[in-house]
Amino acid sequence: AQTVTQSQPEMSVQEAETVTLSCTYDTSENNYYLFWYKQPPSRQMILVIRQEAYKQQNATENRFSVNFQKAAKSFSLKISDSQLGDTAMYFCAFALHDMRFGAGTRLTVKP
Amino acid sequence: EAQVTQNPRYLITVTGKKLTVTCSQNMNHEYMSWYRQDPGLGLRQIYYSMNVEVTDKGDVPEGYKVSRKEKRNFPLILESPSPNQTSLYFCASSTTGGTNYGYTFGSGTRLTVV
């Protein structure tokens, strides 16, 4: 079974700085999807970014980008120019037939 | 608006009293799933459904039931709730692949069993 590991339970960053959240996963499959979801205090699950494993180019969405290292099974999220509204729990997820999540990283952006 | 509607948002119940959490999606998605979220454990899958009348167990199915009689609805049933089922529950739906593949989540149900 696929597993997803987020090794940083909590992180903090100063407003306007850059922060990177780590994620590793384990699979023997070749084609799959990877995601980062954001969960603010409202608890809504919000899709931040998606990466298809067959695409070598790293996905980007405005201030959010990923570093996808397929061979290393690593999928980190970089948040540039951090904003107070980025304060949330962030979940890394792997999807093949269904979606599996890491334990989450709680990110706090400090003013 | 494309969405997954989950009700109720909050629920406090007593041990052993049957309850149902409803989930409905308006996107004609084939795939629906239930997760529970607990601190330090992330989201763990309870049950999922690939289509009408097709359901299967996830990682933590004990104490839960589901049904998929219509494509849009996927209720979660706790026939005899226990305190260890106190958790935050999410329903989600998706297509089965493609460029825009990804889950759409409901707003969550905070369940407390006393």
Side-chain angles (χ1 to χ4, degrees):
Chain A
Q2 289 81 12
T3 57
V4 180
T5 303
Q6 293 179 250
S7 58
Q8 305 150 315
E10 295 187 13
M11 294 190 72
S12 64
V13 63
Q14 291 295 133
E15 194 175 8
E17 296 291 307
T18 295
V19 64
T20 298
L21 308 185
S22 301
C23 174
T24 59
Y25 57 95
D26 184 28
T27 185
S28 59
E29 301 291 336
N30 193 46
N31 293 319
Y32 47 87
Y33 294 84
L34 294 162
F35 303 84
W36 279 97
Y37 279 89
K38 170 185 178 181
Q39 187 182 49
S42 67
R43 81 186 188 207
Q44 182 67 40
M45 293 289 286
I46 302 167
L47 176 64
V48 175
I49 202 163
R50 167 182 39 232
Q51 176 80 41
E52 297 168 70
Y54 72 88
K55 291 184 177 179
Q56 293 186 337
Q57 186 173 7
N58 289 325
T60 63
E61 288 288 342
N62 301 312
R63 297 183 295 108
F64 299 88
S65 62
V66 298
N67 183 4
F68 174 45
Q69 302 287 330
K70 191 173 184 179
K73 297 178 184 175
S74 171
F75 185 61
S76 61
L77 175 70
K78 185 171 81 171
I79 306 174
S80 303
D81 186 24
S82 297
Q83 300 175 359
L84 296 178
D86 295 333
T87 291
M89 182 74 85
Y90 287 82
F91 290 101
C92 178
F94 170 100
L96 185 59
H97 304 296
D98 55 9
M99 191 172 288
R100 293 184 176 274
F101 292 82
T105 296
R106 186 174 301 280
L107 176 67
T108 302
V109 180
K110 298 180 178 179
Chain B
E1 179 188 356
Q3 60 185 356
V4 175
T5 302
Q6 190 179 330
N7 284 298
R9 290 210 69 191
Y10 299 91
L11 180 59
I12 301 174
T13 191
V14 296
T15 299
K17 185 177 181 180
K18 181 179 179 179
L19 65 91
T20 299
V21 184
T22 63
C23 175
S24 180
Q25 51 95 2
N26 62 0
M27 296 163 283
N28 202 36
H29 285 166
E30 298 88 1
Y31 187 94
M32 298 185 75
S33 183
W34 277 102
Y35 290 85
R36 61 176 290 173
Q37 180 182 349
D38 301 290
L41 297 176
L43 282 76
R44 294 179 293 166
Q45 191 175 54
I46 303 170
Y47 270 94
Y48 64 94
S49 170
M50 298 292 286
N51 215 321
V52 177
E53 302 291 1
V54 181
T55 63
D56 210 345
K57 297 177 181 178
D59 295 323
V60 288
E62 293 77 21
Y64 304 95
K65 284 179 59 177
V66 293
S67 68
R68 187 93 182 270
K69 293 184 171 57
E70 305 165 287
K71 196 171 187 178
R72 63 183 293 124
N73 295 324
F74 190 46
L76 178 70
I77 303 158
L78 285 72
E79 296 213 325
S80 184
S82 62
N84 64 12
Q85 292 178 298
T86 292
S87 187
L88 177 60
Y89 291 86
F90 284 99
C91 179
S93 73
S94 76
T95 59
T96 52
T99 306
N100 294 320
Y101 173 64
Y103 280 26
T104 302
F105 285 86
S107 299
T109 296
R110 172 73 69 186
L111 172 65
T112 302
V113 183
V114 297

